[in-house]
Amino acid sequence: MQQSQRGVFLTLEGGEGLGKSTAVKFIQQYLQQAQIDFITTREPGGTPVAEQIRQLLLNPNVAEEITPVTELLLMFASRSQHIVNLILPALAAGKWVICDRFVDASYAYQGGGRGFDTQQIKQLDDWIVGELRPQVTILLDAPPQLGMARAKNRSMHDRIEQEKLDFFERVRTAYLVRAKGEPDRFKIIDATKPLAAVQAEIKMIMDNIVGQYNEK
Ligand code: Z5A
């Protein structure tokens, strides 16, 4: 896929309940203050059709078992809608795109969690995502028990959140393997730290990105 990217593409990754949504809100305030034109979005989802696919993927009461292959393909079907109809046009218009999860989540959840071979996921990545890469990915990292504890007050858990602890441990490991493979893109934040400390790190990352990309 050809990319005529002008805006900055920043993604947030990490296990369940480790503070991605909270970080997106913080980044939103930062960018508003810096008077930078941006959108925030998420995966799976982000466009009307992609959000419908999200509902299907995460519904804990779905009428039949969703097979791992269907789950993988639906993640990429949702992503295709999202990239073509929202992310690329926003970047081409010079907007920053702040995305809560992107293709790294497929390597972590469908690869690490479900056990798909990395090469199988890479084939879909090459086809659907192509050259589009985030300039920066913030990975909120912590033992999965912490995120589960933070998220435990929710009334309902989605279909994937109902997996067991070892699934989320594999997800964490897969994220860390990806981060190790691309140390320039990934900024790992220790999500066990108090919110103020996490936000101070995010602010430093944002200051750097603004210095690097916004002057151009
Ligand atoms: N998925 C997939 O399998 N494959 C893919 O390719 C993609 C996704 C793209 C939906 O993700 C599911 O889709 C997800 C992976 C799968 N399933 N799981 N698990 P989602 O992003 O919509 O849902 P989520 O991962 O479950 O995120 P979340 O539960 O919404 O959590 P969060 O956004 O990371 O956390 P939060 O809501 O910002 O924070 C949780 C609580 O902790 C909240 O009360 C905060 O105030 C508090 N918090 C946050 N930071 C701190 C700190 N530092 N200290 C103390 N308390 C804190």
Side-chain angles (χ1 to χ4, degrees), residues 92-133:
K95 294 181 185 175
W96 288 36
V97 175
I98 312 306
C99 189
D100 188 339
R101 297 196 187 281
F102 191 58
V103 72
D104 297 302
S106 293
Y107 287 93
Y109 282 81
Q110 283 63 54
R114 299 279 184 235
F116 279 100
D117 188 82
T118 303
Q119 283 310 315
Q120 282 175 305
I121 299 173
K122 189 170 179 306
Q123 282 180 359
L124 289 167
D125 185 359
D126 289 344
W127 180 29
I128 304 300
V129 184
E131 292 170 13
L132 174 65
R133 293 294 134 187

Side-chain angles (χ1 to χ4, degrees), residues 17 19-22 54 79 101 106 110 154 161 193:
K20 286 177 287 72
S21 314
T22 311
R54 178 188 176 93
R79 184 161 298 132
R101 297 196 187 281
S106 293
Q110 283 63 54
R154 291 179 193 162
E161 284 169 358
K193 290 183 182 170

